[in-house]
Amino acid sequence: VEANPDARKAMRPLASRSLACVLICLASTNSFVPRSARSCPRRCLVRPRAAESDESSKLLEAAARLRAEIAEAEGKSIEQVEAEAAGEKARAKARADEMAAERAVQAARREADIKASPRLVLSVPATLQAMTTQAARAVERAHADGICLQTVRLGLARADEGLEEDSQWPGGAEQMYREAARPLTEEMLRKVRPLSKERRGVDIEALPPTITVQDIWDFDGSALMTAEAKAGPEGDVQAMIFPNTDARYVNDIGTVTEVFSKGKRVFLLVNPFWRGLDSWGLNILQPGAKRMAEKNIFTVGNGRSNDGFVTTYSLVNDAAA
């Protein structure tokens, strides 16, 4: 090669291709293990890219043929068809944005009305945010009336869904807790201010509580959520999410009532899995569970009565009722 300049020139393209091949190998393996040009599986690297290019070309060709057919059927040019399609797409997006903005304005007005006039008859909430605001105001009003032990039933829906949609939960209670019950309960607790009437001169809204969560049983999707009020420990709120008829929950409810609530602080049962005392049937594995439930849940002292936990907010659809 050194003796023949023409041969050296002829080798330059080959050397360039070999160098490029080595660089491709290094990039594809994310390591700097040397490979020779001869051992590089160039065809394995090139073929997928070629296949992707061919697929993209086929899709573009199909779209072009469709536009041409539409243009021919309507007696228009391809440019006109493309311009009309782009215009319709822009108009559809504008309509969607306008509707979303209108819904947001309506929801904000409803939430402002609820907050300004809490004792008015409330309409069915249009958004998840409006629902949690309604629930928080209901909890506050009940606490002001001396009711500390409360049951709250929220409409369960994901953040990207609406209350009017029929949400599906193939993952059971764990999925419902993870995607709906936990975030909705947390949002509600951030809005609850039990001490708002007692803290004059203090901007309660500017003092959001600190939220902590303690899982009870993962397979039940259950947890105990605590909102620690910045205004003082007497404003703390606890919420047990998804309790059921198991004796573990009945005992825990009695403990929280006695140790935490003490007839002063708010304790919530969020979406419990029972309808009433009859939900506790005969269970030889849990003898006395029904009597314990009656004592800890349905006849426990609550304010001026012994009626147990009082349902202060409930939003359910016909299918769940």
Side-chain angles (χ1 to χ4, degrees):
V1 174
E2 293 297 334
N4 190 344
D6 295 333
R8 185 166 61 250
K9 292 179 181 180
M11 289 293 292
R12 287 175 182 172
L14 179 60
S16 299
R17 288 194 297 270
S18 299
L19 178 59
C21 183
V22 171
L23 292 176
I24 291 174
C25 289
L26 293 175
S28 64
T29 59
N30 292 324
S31 62
F32 290 94
V33 179
R35 292 188 182 183
S36 64
R38 293 180 182 178
S39 63
C40 173
R42 290 186 60 197
R43 293 183 179 179
C44 295
L45 293 173
V46 173
R47 281 181 179 176
R49 297 180 183 179
E52 292 177 2
S53 178
D54 292 343
E55 187 67 21
S56 299
S57 299
K58 290 178 181 179
L59 292 174
L60 292 174
E61 291 174 1
R65 285 196 301 270
L66 181 59
R67 288 195 296 270
E69 292 174 0
I70 294 174
E72 183 179 358
E74 298 182 356
K76 301 176 182 179
S77 66
I78 296 178
E79 289 76 11
Q80 288 177 317
V81 172
E82 292 177 344
E84 291 177 356
E88 182 60 30
K89 183 177 180 180
R91 287 191 293 272
K93 184 179 184 302
R95 287 195 298 270
D97 293 342
E98 183 179 356
M99 293 176 63
E102 184 177 354
R103 287 195 297 269
V105 170
Q106 292 177 353
R109 287 176 180 172
R110 291 180 183 177
E111 187 165 352
D113 292 341
I114 293 170
K115 188 175 180 180
S117 304
R119 294 193 179 275
L120 293 177
V121 176
L122 303 181
S123 60
V124 176
T127 65
L128 297 177
Q129 291 74 20
M131 177 187 66
T132 55
T133 299
Q134 283 186 356
R137 299 291 87 82
V139 170
E140 291 174 356
R141 291 194 299 271
H143 180 258
D145 290 337
I147 301 174
C148 297
L149 306 179
Q150 306 178 33
T151 297
V152 172
R153 295 185 182 274
L154 301 174
L156 299 181
R158 301 179 182 85
D160 58 348
E161 296 178 342
L163 286 168
E164 70 282 357
E165 298 185 34
D166 184 16
S167 300
Q168 301 297 317
W169 310 102
E174 291 181 77
Q175 184 184 12
M176 284 193 291
Y177 167 76
R178 183 177 62 254
E179 299 181 6
R182 173 170 177 166
L184 290 174
T185 302
E186 182 172 347
E187 182 178 346
M188 176 185 65
L189 292 187
R190 290 189 185 281
K191 298 176 180 179
V192 174
R193 301 290 189 273
L195 301 180
S196 57
K197 292 185 178 181
E198 301 177 12
R199 299 289 177 173
R200 296 179 181 179
V202 178
D203 186 4
I204 297 296
E205 296 299 330
L207 300 173
T210 300
I211 306 294
T212 58
V213 181
Q214 177 184 354
D215 292 336
I216 300 177
W217 274 339
D218 292 339
F219 53 82
D220 278 345
S222 57
L224 184 65
M225 186 175 292
T226 303
E228 298 179 359
K230 295 291 194 302
E234 61 271 28
D236 293 351
V237 179
Q238 283 197 336
M240 185 177 291
I241 305 172
F242 286 169
N244 59 42
T245 58
D246 192 280
R248 162 73 184 275
Y249 297 105
V250 177
N251 292 329
D252 285 351
I253 289 171
T255 300
V256 175
T257 299
E258 181 180 353
V259 176
F260 171 81
S261 180
K262 299 179 180 179
K264 297 180 179 180
R265 294 193 285 192
V266 176
F267 177 32
L268 307 175
L269 302 181
V270 179
N271 290 62
F273 283 110
W274 60 70
R275 294 291 184 181
L277 186 57
D278 292 339
S279 297
W280 277 263
L282 179 63
N283 188 343
I284 61 174
L285 298 178
Q286 296 183 143
K290 187 172 184 178
R291 290 193 300 272
M292 184 63 68
E294 182 177 12
K295 174 185 175 183
N296 290 352
I297 301 173
F298 297 99
T299 62
V300 62
N302 191 4
R304 294 183 292 272
S305 71
N306 292 322
D307 295 333
F309 282 79
V310 176
T311 299
T312 54
Y313 187 83
S314 180
L315 180 67
V316 295
N317 55 33
D318 293 338

